[in-house]
């Protein structure tokens, strides 16, 4: 099953009734990484009154949040809710608030913290992490063109191409398209192509979904 996360640390901010809200989000894999990130934001904003946080981890379906001194339910939960509604995981969000002297009230705080995370997510590069297989295809030059022609229709990612006595193409293919692709390559090459499956893992396929092609060569 695929999941969505972000590619890198991203920050966004806005001002509401003289209070500045700064949201920084980062990709994390473990609770230790999340805590390290939270502490780094706190270190950068030592003078801030609040550093509210929430994080969601795919492994063991872990989620944590903190209001960090704001009224209960007005800060950490709204931050976590935005991450969940966006369908994001392996992510940590910290919203720093520099108090401007005007009270926002419970509803105002919920809206402000939610908005801070939302604009940070809007600014982030979202990755569609999908289970895939890496295939190494060895073929002769006569069949190379035929194989290259069909690869985009199977939403593959070409990671390497080596041209020596034979052509060796390394690609990533989604789990659900593995068998149809292997069958098609076998058909068009009359079984002459050698196909090796070198492993299964998660990889970002967001660009493939948008453009139907993705080349890392």
């Amino acid at each position: 099953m695929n999941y969505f996360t972000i590619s890198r640390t991203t920050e966004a901010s806005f001002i509401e009734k003289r209070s500045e809200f700064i949201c920084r989000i980062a990709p994390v894999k473990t609770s230790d990484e999340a805590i390290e990130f939270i502490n780094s934001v706190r270190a950068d904003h030592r003078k801030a009154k609040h550093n509210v946080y929430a994080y969601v981890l795919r492994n063991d379906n872990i989620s944590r949040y903190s209001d960090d001194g704001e009224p209960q339910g007005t800060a950490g939960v709204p931050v976590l809710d935005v991450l969940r509604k966006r369908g994001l995981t392996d992510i940590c969000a910290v919203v720093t608030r520099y108090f401007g002297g005007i009270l926002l009230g419970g509803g105002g705080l919920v809206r402000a913290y939610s908005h801070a995370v939302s604009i940070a997510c809007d600014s982030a590069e979202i990755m569609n992490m999908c289970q895939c297989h890496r295939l190494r295809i060895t073929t002769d030059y006569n069949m190379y063109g035929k194989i290259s022609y069909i690869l985009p229709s199977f939403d593959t990612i070409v990671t390497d191409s080596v041209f020596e006595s034979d052509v060796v193409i390394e690609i990533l293919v989604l789990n659900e398209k593995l068998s149809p692709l292997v069958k098609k390559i076998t058909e068009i090459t009359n079984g002459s192509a050698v196909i090796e499956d070198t492993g299964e893992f998660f990889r970002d396929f967001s660009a493939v979904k948008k453009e139907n092609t993705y080349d890392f060569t």
Side-chain angles (χ1 to χ4, degrees):
M1 181 178 293
N2 68 318
Y3 67 93
F4 294 91
T5 188
I6 60 174
S7 62
R8 62 181 65 88
T9 301
T10 304
E11 185 173 292
S13 64
F14 77 103
I15 294 175
E16 177 69 16
K17 294 183 179 179
R18 293 163 52 181
S19 282
E20 184 178 15
F21 292 83
I22 306 167
C23 180
R24 191 180 300 176
I25 55 178
V28 293
K29 292 287 189 182
T30 65
S31 292
D32 287 344
E33 288 183 7
I35 292 169
E36 182 179 355
F37 173 68
I38 293 163
N39 288 336
S40 71
V41 175
R42 284 174 172 163
D44 289 342
H45 296 285
R46 295 183 186 279
K47 295 183 179 180
K49 191 169 184 179
H50 307 284
N51 284 288
V52 170
Y53 71 79
Y55 62 87
V56 182
L57 303 177
R58 189 168 57 91
N59 287 340
D60 298 324
N61 195 29
I62 292 173
S63 61
R64 299 285 187 272
Y65 67 88
S66 170
D67 292 314
D68 195 33
E70 294 283 26
Q72 184 176 359
T74 64
V77 170
V79 171
L80 181 61
D81 283 346
V82 171
L83 298 181
R84 285 176 168 167
K85 288 176 181 177
R86 295 284 181 124
L88 297 172
T89 190
D90 285 351
I91 184 172
C92 182
V94 183
V95 182
T96 301
R97 180 190 181 192
Y98 285 93
F99 183 54
I102 300 176
L103 297 176
L104 301 183
L109 287 173
V110 170
R111 289 189 294 272
Y113 279 104
S114 298
H115 182 64
V117 182
S118 293
I119 60 176
C121 290
D122 289 341
S123 301
E125 179 184 347
I126 306 299
M127 298 194 300
N128 184 0
M129 304 297 290
C130 301
Q131 282 186 303
C132 63
H133 285 254
R134 185 186 299 276
L135 298 184
R136 181 181 294 115
I137 305 166
T138 304
T139 186
D140 58 38
Y141 281 79
N142 292 330
M143 295 298 173
Y144 168 69
K146 291 183 178 182
I147 294 173
S148 296
Y149 179 76
I150 68 164
L151 292 181
S153 63
F154 288 88
D155 293 336
T156 59
I157 296 175
V158 178
T159 58
D160 195 16
S161 298
V162 178
F163 300 90
E164 294 179 343
S165 57
D166 287 319
V167 182
V168 179
I169 314 165
E170 289 193 352
I171 66 170
L172 304 179
V173 59
L174 296 167
N175 281 16
E176 62 268 24
K177 297 191 177 183
L178 175 62
S179 293
L181 175 61
V182 171
K183 181 180 178 181
K184 186 65 175 179
I185 293 174
T186 301
E187 288 177 354
I188 65 175
T189 65
N190 295 316
S192 64
V194 177
I195 305 172
E196 302 172 79
D197 189 336
T198 62
E200 181 183 13
F201 53 96
F202 281 92
R203 181 65 175 267
D204 177 24
F205 270 74
S206 54
V208 180
K209 300 293 187 181
K210 293 177 182 177
E211 303 174 9
N212 202 38
T213 182
Y214 202 142
D215 193 339
F216 278 81
T217 60

